[in-house]
Amino acid sequence: MIFVQALLAGVFQVVQMLLVLALAPGLTGLVRVVKARLLGRRGPPLVQPYRDLFRLLRKDVVLADNASWLFRVTPYLVFTAIWLAAALVPTFTTALALTATADLIALVALLASARFFLALAGMDVGTSFGGLGSSREMMIAALAEPAMLMVIFSIAILVRTTSLSLIVDFMLAGGVGLRISLGLALISLLMVAIAENARIPVDNPATHLELTMVHEAMVLEYSGRHLALIEAASMLKLVLYMALIACIFLPWGISEPGEGPLAILIGLVTFVLKLASGAVLLALFETSVAKMRVFRYGEFLGGALLLSLLGAIFLYVSTGL
């Protein structure tokens, strides 16, 4: 029996890794389609991100003469770290082979490692755009990561663990109720997700303007399969954050260990619906706000940090620790 459960957990883990990889370009494409419709344009087809990735994979890599080994290996490191982080987040079931390592702290560490190597690679060839993008990315990270950690501490105070599968089980068990602290943590995590995924109003992935670029400035020197890996990692990160928000605050539909095939199927369907809903809401939000100026990033992410801190304080006081 234990062997069968371990085998199923391994199968579900492989399915999850392939699922997030397959859905990531589609999610980005859906956001673009909805935004185009809201702006009265026809827009690109839903499958355009898949076409772009395959086109880049077929192209040769062009490297600067002074590019070091770090510049070459960074796309593989970034893609692997973010794909592994996405594999840790329960999407349709918590019966995964990596459940024991599916910890929020490990998740933050993997994302921080990917950002660290990408920022180093941005400065590696010595271009002004790379340095500009890396410095701005680190400025955002200095504010976003503390806010993310405070959200984790808030949840850890309530659930007494940072294990994602146990958090899902706790939320599914009910009894949490409506809490102001969780609402503040959710808003803070949404703001962090917007900043980390280079979305409007912090960044605009559809433009290459010198004054506003952040993430795009760091990857301007990449081409071919290297750029395909970085673009795929960026799409995976968007899926990761949507799945993370869904599994913590909207875990309904996720199957638990021991449940049958019907629960797994419901989990798969609800996960896809959650992603689609998230894409529509993100497109609505991005079409209703304007890109903010660079010097206001601190105000935006400072607000996220303040909300997460207030959420942690409310939980600390209400739980009587």
Side-chain angles (χ1 to χ4, degrees):
M1 188 63 182
I2 295 176
F3 174 75
V4 174
Q5 290 178 346
L7 181 63
L8 284 175
V11 171
F12 292 151
Q13 188 66 67
V14 173
V15 170
Q16 158 138 333
M17 295 185 75
L18 295 177
L19 183 68
V20 294
L21 190 62
L23 292 179
L27 179 67
T28 301
L30 182 58
V31 174
R32 292 175 183 171
V33 168
V34 176
K35 283 179 68 176
R37 294 290 189 274
L38 291 173
L39 294 172
R41 296 186 286 107
R42 185 172 182 179
L46 186 65
V47 296
Q48 189 60 45
Y50 294 98
R51 294 176 181 170
D52 292 340
L53 290 179
F54 285 122
R55 175 174 52 82
L56 288 172
L57 286 172
R58 289 199 301 269
K59 288 190 173 183
D60 294 331
V61 173
V62 179
L63 291 170
D65 294 336
N66 58 341
S68 71
W69 62 270
L70 180 66
F71 188 83
R72 294 177 173 84
V73 302
T74 291
Y76 302 97
L77 292 175
V78 170
F79 179 78
T80 303
I82 294 182
W83 194 15
L84 180 58
L88 296 180
V89 181
T91 55
F92 64 96
T93 181
T94 56
L96 301 171
L98 295 178
T99 293
T101 56
D103 190 279
L104 281 169
I105 303 295
L107 199 70
V108 173
L110 285 170
L111 293 175
S113 301
R115 188 209 316 277
F116 172 73
F117 282 107
L118 200 56
L120 285 182
M123 296 184 291
D124 185 75
V125 293
T127 62
S128 57
F129 278 115
L132 180 145
S134 297
S135 64
R136 288 179 177 176
E137 183 76 11
M138 288 298 103
M139 178 187 69
I140 291 173
L143 295 168
E145 286 181 4
M148 180 91 173
L149 288 172
M150 286 309 300
V151 171
I152 293 172
F153 292 152
S154 300
I155 296 167
I157 290 173
L158 180 65
V159 188
R160 310 294 176 90
T161 180
T162 54
S163 169
L164 277 167
S165 60
L166 294 179
I167 290 171
V168 172
D169 292 340
F170 182 85
M171 295 295 183
L172 284 174
V176 178
L178 293 175
R179 288 175 178 263
I180 295 175
S181 49
L182 282 182
L184 295 175
L186 173 59
I187 296 171
S188 176
L189 187 55
L190 287 172
M191 295 170 75
V192 169
I194 288 170
E196 293 280 17
N197 285 282
R199 311 300 306 193
I200 296 174
V202 176
D203 195 3
N204 187 357
T207 65
H208 289 77
L209 299 176
E210 179 184 353
L211 292 176
T212 61
M213 276 195 303
V214 180
H215 180 79
E216 292 296 320
M218 287 192 301
V219 301
L220 276 181
E221 296 297 322
Y222 279 109
S223 60
R225 64 177 180 278
H226 288 168
L227 183 57
L229 287 171
I230 289 175
E231 291 291 332
S234 177
M235 296 171 186
L236 274 170
K237 189 192 276 189
L238 183 60
V239 173
L240 184 156
Y241 271 94
M242 285 195 182
L244 180 64
I245 292 168
C247 85
I248 294 176
F249 298 99
L250 305 166
W252 306 290
I254 298 178
S255 69
E256 297 180 272
E259 294 185 334
L262 180 59
I264 297 294
L265 181 62
I266 292 173
L268 285 168
V269 173
T270 53
F271 175 61
V272 174
L273 291 176
K274 287 174 187 174
L275 284 186
S277 303
V280 173
L281 292 174
L282 178 60
L284 280 170
F285 177 74
E286 289 193 327
T287 52
S288 60
V289 298
K291 168 80 174 63
M292 67 173 60
R293 300 170 74 177
V294 174
F295 64 81
R296 294 192 61 192
Y297 292 171
E299 297 175 16
F300 182 81
L301 289 169
L305 179 58
L306 178 62
L307 290 174
S308 60
L309 183 61
L310 286 174
I313 292 172
F314 283 155
L315 267 177
Y316 184 81
V317 172
S318 62
T319 53
L321 291 176

